[in-house]
Amino acid sequence: GAVGGIRAAGVAAGFAAARLLLESDGIAFDYVIDEQARAMPAAVETALALAVREAATNIQRHARARRVDARLWQEDGSAVLRIGDDGCGGAVVPGNGLSGMRERLGALGGELRVMPGARGGKAGADLLFVFLRLQAARAVHQEAARLQQARAAVQDAALGGDQAPQARGGKA
């Protein structure tokens, strides 16, 4: 439905923004989103879009690449994102960006793997992989929604509890 379309736009928009960023620096960016990867939970879409953006920023700043390619697919119940470049390698700078990406993915039961110098035998080029188990991400998302509902119920009860004695007091 419409909601699925909006969520799918999240990852697609992340790829489109990465393309704009990279191509503004003369770096070609090609990507493929496999058909089965187009309907994922919103939390997964958001995490993947942020991972794409962070990877593109790192490549733009550090890799001296001319070409970047990415693919998003589903495999064995996981969303898998692969981003590779033809840059100088060793461009993966552990810092706030990658740390933040690892934390966001970890909160959803996912992981980030960076393989410096792993690109098709080319010296130096990096590969970045993101693995997100969709069932784990759904469970985390559902638990967060359940906690939010419980908090709202507690707040409603607290508000109702404050108002009820005043109402009784006014009638007496």
Side-chain angles (χ1 to χ4, degrees), residues 40-45 47 74-79 104-111 131-145:
M40 292 183 285
V44 171
E45 290 253 355
Q74 282 189 34
E75 182 178 295
D76 299 329
S78 292
R104 280 190 298 276
L105 294 168
L108 291 171
E111 67 177 293
F131 300 93
L132 256 176
R133 293 199 50 75
L134 297 176
Q135 208 52 44
R138 279 189 191 100
V140 168
H141 186 68
Q142 288 167 350
E143 180 64 12

Side-chain angles (χ1 to χ4, degrees), residues 51 54-55 96-106 112 128 130:
E54 182 60 36
N96 292 338
L98 282 180
S99 299
M101 194 188 311
R102 271 202 174 88
E103 286 174 21
R104 280 190 298 276
L105 294 168
L112 170 70
L128 178 140
V130 170

Side-chain angles (χ1 to χ4, degrees), residues 42-109:
V44 171
E45 290 253 355
T46 300
L48 291 170
L50 290 170
V52 168
R53 188 173 70 192
E54 182 60 36
T57 300
N58 274 357
I59 290 166
Q60 182 204 33
R61 289 181 181 167
H62 307 294
R64 297 193 302 253
R66 291 182 320 259
R67 176 173 273 325
V68 177
D69 56 80
R71 181 174 168 223
L72 175 63
W73 72 95
Q74 282 189 34
E75 182 178 295
D76 299 329
S78 292
V80 183
L81 170 66
R82 175 196 162 281
I83 301 174
D85 67 73
D86 66 353
C88 61
V92 180
V93 179
N96 292 338
L98 282 180
S99 299
M101 194 188 311
R102 271 202 174 88
E103 286 174 21
R104 280 190 298 276
L105 294 168
L108 291 171

Side-chain angles (χ1 to χ4, degrees), residues 7 14 46-47 53 90 114 148-149 160 165:
R7 286 200 308 246
T46 300
R53 188 173 70 192
V114 179
Q148 190 172 17
Q149 288 173 342

Side-chain angles (χ1 to χ4, degrees), residues 11-32 52-53 56-57 60 67-70:
V11 167
F15 277 117
R19 173 177 272 165
L20 282 173
L21 174 72
L22 293 168
E23 290 187 349
S24 72
D25 259 6
I27 303 167
F29 181 59
D30 294 314
Y31 64 91
V32 174
V52 168
R53 188 173 70 192
T57 300
Q60 182 204 33
R67 176 173 273 325
V68 177
D69 56 80

